[in-house]
Amino acid sequence: MDRLELHPKGASRALIIGTVAYDDIITPYGKGEWLLGGAGSYGALAASYFAPAALVGVVGYDFKKDDLERFRKRGIDIEGIQHNPNEKTFYWKGRYRDDFVGRDTLALDLNAFESFKPVIPEAYKNSQYVMIGAVDPDLQARFIDQLGQAERFIVLDTIDKWVDQKRDQLLEVLKKVSLFLLNDDEVRLLMDDSSTVRAGKRLCEIGPEYVLVKKGEHGLLLFSKQGMFALPAFPVEELRDPTGAGDSFAGAIVGALASMGRRDLPALRKALVYASAVASMTVEGFSCSRLEQLGIDAIQQRYEELLAMTQL
Amino acid sequence: MDRLELHPKGASRALIIGTVAYDDIITPYGKGEWLLGGAGSYGALAASYFAPAALVGVVGYDFKKDDLERFRKRGIDIEGIQHNPNEKTFYWKGRYRDDFVGRDTLALDLNAFESFKPVIPEAYKNSQYVMIGAVDPDLQARFIDQLGQAERFIVLDTIDKWVDQKRDQLLEVLKKVSLFLLNDDEVRLLMDDSSTVRAGKRLCEIGPEYVLVKKGEHGLLLFSKQGMFALPAFPVEELRDPTGAGDSFAGAIVGALASMGRRDLPALRKALVYASAVASMTVEGFSCSRLEQLGIDAIQQRYEELLAMTQL
């Protein structure tokens, strides 16, 4: 399996739509406050290693210039980040339990995100590779409505809250996407089915071209009409902070596909190995500290390690 | 990846040592009584598809001739099954919880197994491919002592009980084996380490050539000094009865290696794909009903399906 050419000349844009946030994170190994976070941030940072990335989101009056600079340093186009002078930035505080068996949300303030009227800049509207983070399905639908009619590959993420509270809207919006991401519990809940495998197959029949069940440290299971694909996660020895693992995974998928300019199943499988490599490195650092400092060589090396340990 | 020639002429013997039992099993989908069970039974049935298999164990006066016949039908040499006229056969009763998230042992009577003095028939002593089921490490050591000094590949299984109660003996016996099988919780408990990955690597340093962490529906993680290997499980749509999954997995590894006459890492990786295929089919039936009726074609087909969904 050939390496991907990262950031090839003329690569398509990876458009990342999602929250830009401040996180307070408590893990068994340490804690931090006012950390750059949010699905949009993790997604854009991850995508930026593969292709030109652009980020759409909103920040409040408390958002630090230094943090905007972190996106710019990674070459991310931030023209699509709105600034709300009257509200604070989206804020999340969470605590991971011992051995990372679960996490508790201690605070969640939508702040500037609550009144967010998404405007996708004209220049982005024909983006072919798009990630939409796990926000309210109604909002996700409004994002999609603004995108042009170009052949596009939309990766959509969700969380259990929306499966539970906005099931119908979610089932509606996911018909418009190419790749739908969710976890074990969520796919069973959404399809009201005790079998993850049967639920994944059924969801694929009624919805998107690809359904991907994220299993964290246990890897992923991809469903498509052409069959299943299973990939183990890279075995991380020392988990530091799982925050953003799924978001950097999603962003890297979009980035990798954009760098290839392809959306077929072999390309997607390759993108998933790259995305798993990136996610495994994200969780080795606190907040997005490691993700932000990955070199292209480090990503290629982890990719090859993951291939070596999964391919016969 | 080539298919394995199953049961090639002149294949080495797969020697399976373990319990032969009667199980009462209750699952969310059904229940059954006096079902043929035990690690030895599942292991030998699985191995028998790959190479000539021989079974060492003990049964009591209540063991049915029809059940011995089931081994013979699969061509399994049962010369090594002792008959205790004074005791009943090893008996286990278990109930799986909803969605198979765990199981409770409702009864466990060692019966004939309690006074079992293992005698490995002379003809088996130079067997090169050996599975030893999850019994008391002291007993496992006595089995190994009876084996000849031939270059041999011993696969050893355990359960949490022995990790907890006979840690030192287990650490001693596993130095004598080639491949040690245990699950996530057990490897962390044994190595007193919160990280499965670090625990697996450390165990590999002090113990057997290969350490394999079984993760059930999430597949497996193999540790060796040559690096890690990860394989997802075949995604089973309808789990019927997980009993014997690990035992048929272990038996199939030994059988597949015996059929190849090899013990190197590439051979082991291939054997693990076959063993995962067999285990995934075992759990699609109740007790060993499906395992016992697998055709060679069905195994080859499942093997190729698993390869197709895991290999790029």
Side-chain angles (χ1 to χ4, degrees):
Chain A
M1 168 75 24
D2 292 353
R3 285 174 162 217
L4 205 62
E5 193 189 346
L6 303 185
H7 261 284
K9 275 208 168 159
S12 302
R13 181 193 302 108
L15 177 61
I16 310 297
I17 307 173
T19 51
V20 177
Y22 279 129
D23 290 344
D24 285 358
I25 300 170
I26 306 167
T27 79
Y29 299 115
K31 58 180 183 171
E33 294 183 333
W34 295 102
L35 304 161
L36 179 60
S41 304
Y42 280 98
L45 288 169
S48 72
Y49 290 101
F50 297 89
L55 177 54
V56 168
V58 62
V59 297
Y61 60 81
D62 57 345
F63 200 75
K64 291 177 246 168
K65 278 201 171 145
D66 284 357
D67 286 327
L68 279 180
E69 204 44 49
R70 292 163 74 179
F71 294 128
R72 277 205 199 91
K73 253 192 197 153
R74 289 280 336 125
I76 298 164
D77 182 339
I78 52 174
E79 193 204 331
I81 297 186
Q82 293 176 29
H83 296 256
N84 183 327
N86 305 314
E87 299 279 354
K88 287 177 142 186
T89 299
F90 186 106
Y91 168 77
W92 176 76
K93 181 175 185 171
R95 179 170 50 208
Y96 292 90
R97 291 176 215 145
D98 281 349
D99 297 339
F100 295 102
V101 289
R103 78 176 185 193
D104 302 301
T105 289
L106 305 179
L108 181 68
D109 302 324
L110 293 180
N111 297 332
F113 205 82
E114 183 143 31
S115 58
F116 181 37
K117 297 272 177 296
V119 179
I120 297 181
E122 208 55 46
Y124 299 172
K125 287 194 173 170
N126 282 307
S127 299
Q128 284 183 276
Y129 301 92
V130 185
M131 162 188 157
I132 302 179
V135 296
D136 186 323
D138 288 328
L139 192 54
Q140 290 178 322
R142 287 212 292 279
F143 286 130
I144 293 174
D145 287 344
Q146 288 187 57
L147 292 169
Q149 292 305 309
E151 179 78 5
R152 63 203 178 191
F153 192 95
I154 299 177
V155 176
L156 189 92
D157 196 12
T158 197
I159 50 170
D160 54 355
K161 176 180 173 179
W162 307 122
V163 178
D164 198 37
Q165 296 175 8
K166 295 225 169 174
R167 195 172 173 283
D168 292 345
Q169 293 91 327
L170 187 60
L171 284 170
E172 208 45 53
V173 78
L174 61 79
K175 289 178 186 162
K176 298 175 183 169
V177 310
S178 310
L179 172 61
F180 180 48
L181 307 175
L182 72 181
N183 71 24
D184 276 62
D185 290 340
E186 288 155 8
V187 75
R188 289 194 297 258
L189 178 65
L190 182 61
M191 302 309 288
D192 190 21
D193 195 320
S194 62
S195 157
T196 297
V197 178
R198 199 172 42 217
K201 286 179 182 170
R202 286 176 48 218
L203 182 51
C204 217
E205 291 298 321
I206 64 164
E209 190 175 349
Y210 303 107
V211 169
L212 191 149
V213 176
K214 297 177 287 181
K215 305 199 299 173
E217 61 170 318
H218 301 303
L220 65 88
L221 208 44
L222 179 76
F223 298 88
S224 79
K225 294 194 180 72
Q226 299 144 274
M228 289 180 278
F229 174 62
L231 183 72
F234 181 89
V236 170
E237 200 167 313
E238 190 93 64
L239 182 61
R240 292 243 173 251
D241 175 12
T243 310
D247 303 316
S248 60
F249 176 74
I253 295 172
V254 169
L257 290 175
S259 81
M260 289 185 266
R262 287 167 53 189
R263 53 175 293 155
D264 53 286
L265 185 54
L268 179 56
R269 286 181 173 211
K270 191 169 180 172
L272 294 178
V273 182
Y274 272 103
S276 300
V278 169
S280 75
M281 295 164 98
T282 300
V283 303
E284 289 174 339
F286 207 81
S287 174
C288 51
S289 60
R290 179 141 163 69
L291 173 62
E292 187 174 23
Q293 286 161 38
L294 293 178
I296 283 178
D297 288 347
I299 293 175
Q300 293 284 19
Q301 190 186 326
R302 180 61 59 94
Y303 166 79
E304 283 174 18
E305 284 171 357
L306 184 53
L307 278 187
M309 69 175 60
T310 57
Q311 304 298 298
L312 287 169
Chain B
M1 164 78 20
D2 292 352
R3 284 175 163 219
L4 206 60
E5 193 190 344
L6 301 186
H7 260 283
K9 276 210 168 156
S12 302
R13 181 193 302 107
L15 177 60
I16 309 298
I17 306 173
T19 51
V20 177
Y22 279 130
D23 290 344
D24 285 358
I25 299 171
I26 306 166
T27 79
Y29 299 116
K31 58 181 183 173
E33 295 183 334
W34 295 102
L35 304 162
L36 179 60
S41 305
Y42 280 99
L45 288 168
S48 72
Y49 290 101
F50 297 89
L55 176 55
V56 168
V58 63
V59 297
Y61 62 78
D62 57 344
F63 199 74
K64 291 176 244 166
K65 279 201 172 145
D66 284 358
D67 287 328
L68 281 179
E69 204 42 52
R70 292 163 75 178
F71 294 127
R72 277 206 200 89
K73 251 192 200 157
R74 288 282 334 126
I76 298 165
D77 182 340
I78 53 173
E79 194 205 328
I81 296 187
Q82 295 175 31
H83 295 257
N84 183 328
N86 305 312
E87 299 278 355
K88 287 178 142 184
T89 299
F90 185 108
Y91 168 77
W92 176 76
K93 180 175 184 171
R95 180 171 50 208
Y96 292 89
R97 293 178 214 143
D98 281 349
D99 296 340
F100 295 100
V101 289
R103 79 175 184 193
D104 303 302
T105 289
L106 305 179
L108 181 68
D109 302 324
L110 294 180
N111 297 332
F113 205 82
E114 183 143 31
S115 57
F116 181 37
K117 298 273 178 294
V119 179
I120 297 180
E122 208 56 44
Y124 298 174
K125 287 193 173 171
N126 282 308
S127 298
Q128 285 184 277
Y129 300 93
V130 184
M131 163 189 156
I132 302 178
V135 296
D136 187 324
D138 288 328
L139 192 55
Q140 291 179 321
R142 288 211 292 279
F143 287 130
I144 294 175
D145 287 344
Q146 288 187 54
L147 292 171
Q149 293 306 311
E151 179 77 5
R152 61 202 181 193
F153 192 94
I154 299 177
V155 176
L156 189 93
D157 196 12
T158 198
I159 50 169
D160 54 354
K161 177 180 173 180
W162 308 122
V163 177
D164 199 35
Q165 295 175 9
K166 296 225 169 176
R167 196 172 172 281
D168 292 345
Q169 293 92 325
L170 186 60
L171 285 170
E172 210 45 52
V173 79
L174 63 78
K175 288 177 185 163
K176 298 174 184 168
V177 310
S178 310
L179 172 61
F180 180 47
L181 307 175
L182 71 183
N183 71 24
D184 275 63
D185 290 341
E186 289 155 6
V187 75
R188 289 193 297 259
L189 179 64
L190 182 62
M191 302 309 288
D192 190 22
D193 196 321
S194 62
S195 157
T196 297
V197 178
R198 200 171 44 216
K201 287 179 182 171
R202 286 176 49 218
L203 183 52
C204 217
E205 292 297 321
I206 63 163
E209 191 176 346
Y210 302 109
V211 169
L212 192 149
V213 176
K214 297 177 288 182
K215 304 198 298 172
E217 63 171 317
H218 301 304
L220 65 88
L221 208 44
L222 178 77
F223 298 89
S224 78
K225 293 192 181 72
Q226 299 144 273
M228 289 180 278
F229 174 62
L231 182 72
F234 182 89
V236 170
E237 201 167 311
E238 190 92 64
L239 182 61
R240 291 246 174 247
D241 176 11
T243 310
D247 303 317
S248 60
F249 177 74
I253 295 172
V254 169
L257 291 176
S259 82
M260 288 185 266
R262 286 168 54 190
R263 53 177 292 158
D264 54 285
L265 185 55
L268 179 57
R269 286 180 173 211
K270 190 170 181 172
L272 294 178
V273 182
Y274 271 103
S276 300
V278 169
S280 75
M281 295 164 96
T282 300
V283 304
E284 289 174 340
F286 207 79
S287 174
C288 51
S289 61
R290 178 141 163 69
L291 172 62
E292 177 172 34
Q293 287 160 37
L294 293 178
I296 284 179
D297 288 346
I299 294 176
Q300 292 284 20
Q301 191 186 327
R302 180 62 59 95
Y303 167 80
E304 282 173 20
E305 284 171 357
L306 184 53
L307 278 187
M309 71 175 58
T310 57
Q311 304 299 299
L312 286 169

